[in-house]
Structures are given as structure tokens and as C-alpha cells.
């Protein structure tokens, strides 16, 4: 029988991805929305999570599609009420929040899933498999997009906990931590903060690879030309380019695969598996790189940013 689910936060990603992905998966039955402003035709609507928890004890799973700042409070409340919880990325504002949520899920015997949608992009498993039998010499992540185009009016990304350019950049880090055959760690970072904002608009990262490969990332939110979500890898047996956020793979300049968008469908399929088997998936390795960048990063101040 389908698990009954409620979606919290009816914003951009809820409408674009969560609702269609839940509705097309027979393992889930979307029953209710918790939203301070919006309602969805055909669904029970609650303005606050505690109203939902009081009124609908039959709902087993809560999916949180809200920004990172309020997420901990909502997730903790849902876990304490014995609900399974699915977290949009990033899973929290801080690592400590994430560890607390993981422990709460254990204590209450429910599943928690820190989702990393970019890991479920079509060509990520192909690149991972290709890399597994090669020696990496160089890896460059280029994640450059126009914040005005992709985050219009989203003030929370500029507030503490909103992560700034790491909001998209953590997607690249979630792919990196998935495809690498061994862990790497951050050694240096430079973060550019607009003088009127609390989070960075650009970041340069350098990683230490234990085998000596040259590994770095460039994130920039000021790109108003072609948008780049690319990972270029040079190995002892050829070059790979993963682009379009993981949807396209070229090897030695030849197109190998151009995938379709199944990221959120795959996330809900994974969550159904976790709930069915009473398991959790709380891989925090992408968050560790972001937290290290804020900890190690040299801070530069740049021009004020206005929408
Ligand atoms: P959004 O549209 O700005 O906000 C989502 C919804 O969260 C809002 O519509 C609002 O819903 C609720 N919300 C906002 N502030 C809140 C607060 N302080 N307390 C409680 N609820 C609040 O953001 P989004 O783009 O959907 O992103 C949400 C999360 O998904 C972020 O973590 C983001 O990184 C992730 N994500 C976004 C995208 C994307 O393309 N946009 C892609 C992948 C992942 P109500 O008015 O219904 O309360």
C-alpha cells in the first residue's frame, strides 16, 4: 500500500519537481501540503506542521522542500512525532544540526534521507564507473550560473545559513563525493562576499588528493553568458567531461550519453526503499566540504549585489 506523505513548503522546487515526482510514484500518496501561503488543489492544507501532525496521524512521511534555515525545527518536530523525514539539500545549516537529526531518527525508529538530487543525474553512475579503473591526474569543477536567473528574489540564500553560491555548488560537491574512488579533502578556499550580503557570491576551492591529482572547483553566481555545470577529469586513460549538472557525458570529446531528467523521481524511489526497509541515508560528505570552505576560506569583499 502507498505510504501517505505530506509536503512542507510549496515553493519553486516543490512545484517543479516534488509534486510531479510524488504523484507519478505508486509507492507514495500525496495527502497534504503545509504552507504558510500556498495551497494545492485536491490536497489538505495546513499552515503549520503541528496542525498537520495533530489532524493527520495517518501520514507517515514528511518531505521538507523549504530553505535550510527553518529546516531543522520542522525536521526535529516531524521526527519526534514518529514520522519519516526527507530533507532537501543541503540537509541543514550546520553539521551539528544534521547529526542531531540523524540521532533523532534513530531514537524514534524512523527513516531520514538527506537527498542530493544531483547524484541522481543520469550520467553520474557512468562517470563513477569509468573513473573506477583509471588514475585521476586532474579534476576541475566549473559551476557558474546567473543568480538573477535561477534565484530571483530568494533573499534566504543571502542570509546566514543560506550558503550563497554553495547552494548550487553543493550539488557539484555531491557529485564529486559520489564519483571519487577515494575521499579528498579541502585545503584552501577563497570566498567573495558582496559588501551588502552575508553569504558568498563566488568561491575558489582547492582539494588535496591523496594520489597527488590536481583538484579544484570554481563556483560563480555572476555568469550571465552560457551557464556551466561541468566536471572535467583527466586520467591516465583519457578525458571525461560531465556537463549540464550530470545529464551529459563526453569521453575524449565524443558524446557518450545525454540523459533525461529523473533526479527527483529517483529520490522518491530511494526514499520508498529506505522507508520499506526501516533504513536511513544521511551522507554528509558534501556538507563537510562546504563547512571546511567557510572554515578555511580567505574572505574577499566585492561589489554589492542587488536583484
Ligand atoms: P523557495 O521557493 O524560495 O522556498 C520554498 C518554500 O519554502 C517557500 O515557498 C515557502 O513556502 C517556504 N519557506 C520559505 N522560507 C521559510 C521559512 N522561513 N519558514 C518556513 N517556510 C519557509 O526555495 P526553493 O528554490 O524551492 O528551494 C527550497 C530548497 O530546495 C532549498 O534548500 C534549495 O537548495 C533546494 N533546491 C532548490 C532547487 C531550485 O531549482 N529552486 C533545486 C534543488 C534543490 P510556503 O510559502 O509554502 O510556506
Amino acid at each position: 500500500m502507498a505510504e501517505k506523505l505530506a509536503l512542507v513548503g510549496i515553493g519553486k522546487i516543490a512545484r517543479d519537481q516534488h509534486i510531479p515526482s510524488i504523484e507519478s510514484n505508486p509507492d507514495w500518496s500525496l495527502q497534504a501540503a503545509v504552507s504558510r501561503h500556498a495551497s494545492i488543489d485536491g490536497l489538505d492544507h495546513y499552515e503549520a506542521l503541528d496542525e498537520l501532525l495533530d489532524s493527520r496521524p495517518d501520514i507517515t512521511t514528511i518531505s521538507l522542500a523549504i530553505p535550510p534555515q527553518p529546516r531543522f525545527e520542522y525536521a526535529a518536530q516531524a521526527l519526534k512525532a514518529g514520522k519519516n523525514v526527507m530533507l532537501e539539500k543541503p540537509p541543514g545549516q550546520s553539521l551539528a544540526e544534521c547529526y542531531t537529526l540523524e540521532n533523532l531518527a534513530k531514537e524514534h525508529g524512523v527513516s531520514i534521507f538527506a537527498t542530493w538530487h544531483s547524484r541522481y543525474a543520469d550520467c553520474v553512475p557512468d562517470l563513477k564507473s569509468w573513473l573506477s579503473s583509471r588514475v585521476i591526474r586532474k579534476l576541475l569543477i566549473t559551476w557558474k550560473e546567473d543568480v538573477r536567473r535561477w534565484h530571483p528574489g530568494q533573499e534566504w540564500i543571502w542570509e546566514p545559513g543560506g550558503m550563497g553560491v554553495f547552494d548550487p555548488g553543493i550539488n557539484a560537491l555531491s557529485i564529486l563525493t559520489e564519483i571519487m574512488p577515494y575521499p579528498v579533502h579541502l585545503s584552501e578556499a577563497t570566498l567573495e562576499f558582496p559588501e551588502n550580503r552575508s553569504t558568498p557570491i563566488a568561491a575558489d576551492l582547492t582539494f588535496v588528493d591523496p594520489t597527488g591529482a590536481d583538484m579544484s572547483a570554481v563556483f560563480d553566481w555572476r555568469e550571465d553568458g552560457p551557464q556551466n555545470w561541468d566536471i572535467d577529469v583527466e586520467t591516465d586513460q583519457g578525458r571525461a567531461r560531465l556537463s549540464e549538472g550530470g545529464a551529459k557525458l563526453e569521453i575524449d570529446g565524443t558524446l557518450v550519453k545525454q540523459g533525461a531528467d529523473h533526479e527527483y523521481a529517483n529520490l522518491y524511489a530511494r526514499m520508498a526503499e529506505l522507508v520499506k526497509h526501516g533504513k536511513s541515508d544521511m551522507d554528509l560528505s558534501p556538507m563537510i566540504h562546504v563547512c571546511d570552505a567557510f572554515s578555511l576560506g580567505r574572505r574577499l569583499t566585492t561589489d554589492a549585489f542587488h536583484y
Side-chain angles (χ1 to χ4, degrees), residues 29-253:
S29 168
L30 181 57
Q31 298 273 317
V34 177
S35 167
R36 300 157 316 156
H37 307 104
S39 59
I40 303 287
D41 283 349
L43 293 187
D44 271 6
H45 172 246
Y46 300 90
E47 279 185 19
L49 182 58
D50 48 4
E51 290 170 22
L52 170 96
L53 296 173
D54 287 347
S55 311
R56 293 294 307 268
D58 55 320
I59 288 177
T60 60
T61 303
I62 307 289
S63 181
L64 298 177
I66 53 180
Q69 291 96 336
R71 193 170 298 138
F72 176 80
E73 294 300 332
Y74 280 82
Q77 194 180 358
L79 293 167
K80 286 176 188 168
K83 308 299 175 187
N84 306 302
V85 169
M86 184 159 159
L87 303 165
E88 250 301 351
K89 50 77 17 181
Q93 303 183 91
S94 69
L95 281 170
E97 282 187 352
C98 299
Y99 289 126
T100 302
L101 293 178
E102 192 175 12
N103 287 334
L104 275 174
K106 273 189 203 134
E107 203 180 305
H108 292 273
V110 290
S111 299
I112 188 165
F113 181 21
T115 67
W116 302 109
H117 64 88
S118 293
R119 283 185 176 172
Y120 290 82
D122 253 20
C123 298
V124 171
D126 302 273
L127 179 57
K128 179 175 179 165
S129 154
W130 189 82
L131 285 176
S132 66
S133 56
R134 287 170 170 78
V135 178
I136 299 171
R137 307 266 195 237
K138 182 173 178 181
L139 185 149
L140 171 65
I141 298 173
T142 309
W143 231 247
K144 293 184 177 180
E145 62 176 48
D146 182 355
V147 65
R148 291 188 172 85
R149 179 167 161 197
W150 301 104
H151 299 273
Q154 287 189 333
E155 289 297 329
W156 61 263
I157 55 177
W158 298 109
E159 295 299 324
M163 294 192 180
V165 75
F166 288 96
D167 179 71
I170 202 169
N171 297 333
L173 298 173
S174 75
I175 296 177
L176 177 73
T177 47
E178 174 66 19
I179 61 173
M180 283 300 296
Y182 46 81
V184 296
H185 69 271
L186 201 83
S187 57
E188 278 176 50
T190 303
L191 311 179
E192 287 186 65
F193 287 75
E195 63 183 15
N196 61 338
R197 301 289 181 172
S198 299
T199 60
I201 196 165
D204 281 351
L205 311 178
T206 306
F207 297 89
V208 174
D209 175 306
T211 71
D214 173 0
M215 204 163 283
S216 57
V218 183
F219 302 155
D220 203 322
W221 249 348
R222 299 165 295 195
E223 181 58 69
D224 54 9
Q227 307 288 285
N228 302 104
W229 299 285
D230 305 332
I231 300 182
D232 289 286
V233 199
E234 291 176 21
T235 74
D236 62 333
Q237 300 166 62
R239 288 175 292 113
R241 161 168 275 221
L242 184 73
S243 57
E244 299 178 9
K248 183 175 172 186
L249 180 62
E250 291 156 283
I251 304 286
D252 294 327

